[in-house]
Amino acid sequence: MPGTPPTRFVYLGPEGTFAEQALRTIPAAERGSRTPARSVPEALDAVRAGDADAALVPLENSIGGAVAVTLDEMVDGEPLVITREVVLPVEFVLATPPGRTLAEVHTVAAHPQASTQCRRWLREHLPDAVVVDVLSNAAAALAATERQQDAAICAPIGAARQRLAILADKIADHDDAVTRFVLLSRPGPPPPRTGDDLTSLAVYIAHDRVGALLAVLMELAVRGVNLTRIESRPTGEALGRYAFFLDCTGHVADDRVGEALQGLRRICAEVRFLGSYPRHRGSTAVAERPVPAPAGLSDVDYADAAAWLTRLRAGQLS
């Protein structure tokens, strides 16, 4: 974490949602202050204004894909950098006030994304229930608590906070669904490399060059930098003008990643560095082991080649 450890955290609210659950997996956030924000832009602006040290916001979901507003906000305004990622299982529960049975559930409060991800379970277990849309998973839990609706589809943390009884857990159609959150701070030295890191970039290609995107990918490939994600977003300039968001393995302090970044700087219209940070580890990690560098492309190989070139320039041929 750049500079002093953060103590003031903001996250995409409201309370009792997956974002708060993800934030509380970070020890510093558990000890510090946690403030919900009404939107991703509000959360990031709080960090930019100095009202918070770090913001945790969703970046992508394994079912729904990238969170467009987060991508857009990371490249709009003063720079922020990712210092950590949290990958959280998306586990929905059906919760009710204590004492209610499944047969007594006729209305269910749910955020539209939550009810969509639980469509199969609802069809099989509550085919006649009316699903009432609400603004968040936390709002769904509150609606059940206040008995506005018979039950709620919500996150486990929301059910616990509202002291609801769980009639059914893990009701999502995809039991392996996860959401990836990122913690953003003001620019500073990146966290130390761990040997299993990710580097995120926003790349603006030269649109008047044939094969411009291929050239970007080649800068990574020829150096053995593995691309783990690529996402395009319109720049707003004109139709067909896109920025590309890249996640690749490695740390900016790695020689091969550093050389790749230099190459991208030379050929791209603009490159925005979004951070180097440890890859999430644990049962929800996409890959349990880092992809090794190809033969000849490890940091040891780069150091050996650099030392050899230095000797040549000094006239030492042995």
Side-chain angles (χ1 to χ4, degrees):
M1 193 74 67
T4 58
T7 59
R8 300 172 301 158
F9 295 84
V10 63
Y11 63 94
L12 178 62
E15 296 179 350
T17 57
F18 288 112
E20 183 189 9
Q21 188 175 336
L23 180 62
R24 298 191 71 159
T25 66
I26 301 174
E30 187 68 12
R31 296 189 298 268
S33 65
R34 301 177 299 275
T35 304
R38 292 171 294 182
S39 65
V40 170
E42 182 179 289
L44 301 191
D45 285 345
V47 179
R48 291 183 172 114
D51 297 327
D53 301 321
L56 186 112
V57 293
L59 183 63
E60 62 176 323
N61 177 268
S62 60
I63 304 300
V67 180
V69 65
T70 300
L71 295 178
D72 293 342
E73 287 298 317
M74 285 197 300
V75 296
D76 185 26
E78 295 179 18
L80 296 174
V81 291
I82 302 170
T83 58
R84 187 173 185 141
E85 69 169 1
V86 177
V87 180
L88 188 75
V90 178
E91 296 181 355
F92 290 108
V93 301
L94 184 78
T96 67
R100 183 164 287 165
T101 66
L102 193 62
E104 296 173 308
V105 174
H106 304 292
T107 59
V108 179
H111 185 278
Q113 290 184 359
S115 58
T116 297
Q117 293 190 45
C118 301
R119 185 184 294 120
R120 185 186 309 140
W121 190 93
L122 287 169
R123 185 171 61 247
E124 293 177 356
H125 296 87
L126 291 172
D128 298 323
V130 176
V131 177
V132 180
D133 290 348
V134 294
L135 294 177
S136 68
N137 295 317
L142 183 61
T145 299
E146 295 180 346
R147 300 181 186 271
Q148 297 172 9
Q149 312 301 336
D150 297 333
I153 294 176
C154 61
I157 189 176
R161 176 154 291 165
Q162 295 296 332
R163 298 182 179 179
L164 294 172
I166 295 177
L167 289 186
D169 62 357
K170 298 183 179 180
I171 66 173
D173 296 342
H174 300 274
D175 57 10
D176 56 351
V178 297
T179 295
R180 179 187 178 205
F181 296 86
V182 289
L183 188 70
L184 292 119
S185 301
R186 291 181 293 278
R193 56 181 176 174
T194 66
D196 188 14
D197 304 290
L198 293 174
T199 292
S200 295
L201 310 166
V203 172
Y204 299 80
I205 65 174
H207 292 276
D208 57 350
R209 285 185 52 193
V210 174
L213 180 56
L214 176 61
V216 168
L217 301 180
M218 287 301 295
E219 290 291 338
L220 302 173
V222 298
R223 295 176 175 88
V225 177
N226 186 43
L227 185 67
T228 61
R229 185 178 71 92
I230 181 169
E231 191 85 28
S232 63
R233 289 291 300 156
T235 63
E237 299 170 357
L239 285 174
R241 300 280 174 156
Y242 291 90
F244 294 88
F245 291 83
L246 311 178
D247 286 343
C248 53
T249 57
H251 192 281
V252 66
D254 297 342
D255 290 332
R256 58 185 173 134
V257 175
E259 280 203 11
L261 293 182
Q262 291 181 67
L264 294 176
R265 170 77 175 182
R266 290 193 300 268
I267 67 170
C268 293
E270 182 184 350
V271 179
R272 190 158 186 170
F273 176 71
L274 299 177
S276 287
Y277 48 92
R279 186 203 298 264
H280 175 89
R281 306 304 297 159
S283 60
T284 57
V286 174
E288 289 301 323
R289 297 179 181 176
V291 177
L297 294 175
S298 69
D299 269 9
V300 173
D301 296 321
Y302 270 95
D304 178 71
W308 174 74
L309 181 58
T310 299
R311 292 196 301 272
L312 290 184
R313 289 171 172 171
Q316 301 171 11
L317 304 183
S318 58

